[in-house]
Amino acid sequence: MLNLKDSTRLKEALTEAQTAVRQLPDDASVQLVLLYAAIENNHHALIDQASQALVRLAPDNPLGHYFVGIVAANNGQFEQAEAELLLAKAKGLDAAEVQRVLDGGVSQEANKQRALRLAVTFMIGWAVTGVVLFVTGLLLSRLTLIAVRRPPTADALTGAVHRGPRLP
């Protein structure tokens, strides 16, 4: 049914695949059929569900990782998409196909996300450092003013009175 381009047959194939998954939820080959049926019917939620299940049931199957990566890219999670696509490539999926998808914008967007995260981390670090320096300066300033305003004290050994500098 999946090889035909008749939309009624494709919907029927999706229904049959969903029925098969309900009967055999832990069968990786049934999840793969559901994945193909969902792709042919452009059913994004089922593509996500079936690819996740395929990765869980058959972690060495590169197609599960490939489609988890595609779904992640469609959801804007480019770093996860890049990782899943590279994992699919490592598990035996056609390297040229994976590279085509990565070059199609996934790697570039993943790099942008990493750069943005690094920039935000740097800015937060810079702001925290500034606050720490400000508070330290404020504390040292107050301690200096307290020390300058103290009345003169006598030296315990010599009895001499020490006067600190006075501010007007």
Side-chain angles (χ1 to χ4, degrees), residues 105-167:
V106 172
S107 289
Q108 183 180 5
E109 292 298 322
N111 288 336
K112 284 181 187 177
Q113 286 181 345
R114 282 189 282 274
L116 179 63
R117 188 174 55 251
L118 183 63
V120 168
T121 302
F122 175 76
M123 290 171 57
I124 290 172
W126 180 78
V128 167
T129 302
V131 169
V132 167
L133 288 174
F134 176 77
V135 170
T136 302
L138 188 64
L139 179 65
L140 290 175
S141 176
R142 294 207 186 255
L143 290 174
T144 301
L145 288 175
I146 289 170
V148 169
R149 289 183 183 151
R150 277 196 195 143
T153 58
D155 189 336
L157 295 176
T158 63
V161 176
H162 293 282
R163 294 192 184 274
R166 288 271 186 204
L167 297 177

Side-chain angles (χ1 to χ4, degrees), residues 62-90:
L63 289 174
H65 294 285
Y66 178 79
F67 285 108
V68 166
I70 296 297
V71 169
N74 285 336
N75 291 335
Q77 300 166 335
F78 294 103
E79 290 179 89
Q80 179 190 357
E82 183 180 50
E84 289 292 338
L85 290 167
L86 291 173
L87 188 56
K89 181 179 171 181

Side-chain angles (χ1 to χ4, degrees), residues 10-31:
L10 289 175
K11 289 178 184 175
E12 183 183 340
L14 181 61
T15 303
E16 293 294 327
Q18 288 173 308
T19 302
V21 166
R22 280 193 293 279
Q23 292 174 356
L24 299 167
D26 294 331
D27 189 328
S29 60
V30 173
Q31 290 292 341

